[in-house]
Amino acid sequence: MAGRASRLTRAEIQTVFERFRAANPEPKSDLEYGSPFQLLVAVVLSAQATDKGVNVATRKLFPAAPTPEAIVSLGVAGVEDYIKTIGLFRAKAKNVVALSHQLLEKHGGEVPNDRAALEALPGVGRKTANVVLNIVFGEPTMAVDTHIFRIANRIGLAPGKDVLAVEHALLKVVPKAFMLHAHHWLILHGRYVCTARKPLCERCSIVDICRYRDKTVAT
């Protein structure tokens, strides 16, 4: 077996990711951005919001304020005007301006390739840092969101009581060859196939491997 961290065998885990890769060799984030800074801002804005909703706002925000300097010049009230369609927009506007200040003061306006430095930025937690480290710097991190937490437990890939436990379990069981894109494949699978209320098992490429007891189709 793959160990205590998974209910799947090593061979089954290998097959899961081989199928994900075959279907989508170069998965991308649904968030739209044009620079590492814009990705960081978009991920901060995406907390408790949909990527689609964030994209609607950033399509207007980023042309007006594409850099930390421009965000600072825009100010909290200015950022609020662009992102007021997003949940918690007031707090997020404060964080976006504050993190832009900090990037300018401590990092020369650049997004740091360092977990501690990223997590020290206002509004940036472990998940956001993992996304940036993975997408921008190519680090094999695992950004566990609600989709990954759900399907890691449901499928039996990496059960855990909380997101940190699932993150550690995934880092243990996902083969190294798949780590760069693993979190994208899992997020997309959870968002579009293995949905929360009614998983689309008839469309699932790993339905024969999945350990979910309440599948919507027979295997």
Side-chain angles (χ1 to χ4, degrees):
M1 294 291 289
R4 294 179 183 177
S6 181
R7 293 167 57 201
L8 309 184
T9 66
R10 292 186 186 277
E12 287 173 329
I13 294 170
Q14 178 78 17
T15 300
V16 165
F17 287 99
E18 285 177 350
R19 291 180 185 176
F20 286 161
R21 181 174 62 186
N24 188 0
E26 296 288 336
K28 304 296 182 184
S29 172
D30 284 342
L31 291 171
E32 298 172 1
Y33 60 94
S35 68
F37 171 71
Q38 290 176 17
L39 173 65
L40 174 63
V41 170
V43 178
V44 169
L45 295 179
S46 72
Q48 299 183 50
T50 65
D51 288 358
K52 182 178 179 180
V54 172
N55 290 338
V56 169
T58 57
R59 285 170 193 160
K60 297 178 181 179
L61 173 64
F62 289 156
T67 64
E69 294 91 343
I71 288 287
V72 169
S73 296
L74 198 57
V76 174
V79 173
E80 284 182 358
D81 285 341
Y82 285 99
I83 68 168
K84 57 188 176 184
T85 55
I86 301 174
L88 307 175
F89 73 93
R90 289 189 175 87
K92 290 177 180 179
K94 290 179 182 177
N95 284 333
V96 166
V97 172
L99 73 83
S100 297
H101 270 294
Q102 195 161 316
L103 288 176
L104 292 168
E105 292 172 359
K106 297 186 177 182
H107 305 289
E110 300 295 324
V111 175
N113 182 9
D114 178 79
R115 177 184 297 281
L118 285 167
E119 291 188 21
L121 297 170
V124 177
R126 185 178 183 87
K127 186 191 79 171
T128 297
N130 279 338
V131 171
V132 172
L133 290 170
N134 178 266
I135 295 177
V136 175
F137 300 107
E139 293 195 15
T141 60
M142 187 62 63
V144 179
D145 68 351
T146 55
H147 295 297
I148 293 183
F149 180 75
R150 178 180 69 255
I151 69 171
N153 279 285
R154 177 186 280 172
I155 292 170
L157 175 63
K161 293 183 178 180
D162 54 44
V163 293
L164 188 59
V166 168
E167 178 186 332
H168 288 160
L170 286 168
L171 290 172
K172 180 179 179 181
V173 304
V174 175
K176 289 183 180 180
F178 302 106
M179 274 301 303
L180 181 61
H181 296 312
H183 97 268
H184 274 132
W185 284 318
L186 292 170
I187 287 172
L188 294 172
H189 189 68
R191 183 173 292 162
Y192 298 113
V193 180
C194 197
T195 51
R197 293 185 180 179
K198 188 179 179 182
L200 305 177
C201 299
E202 70 278 5
R203 289 175 44 192
C204 181
S205 63
I206 60 169
V207 66
D208 56 318
I209 296 173
C210 171
R211 297 295 198 270
Y212 186 44
R213 292 180 295 176
D214 300 320
K215 293 175 186 174
T216 56
V217 295
T219 57

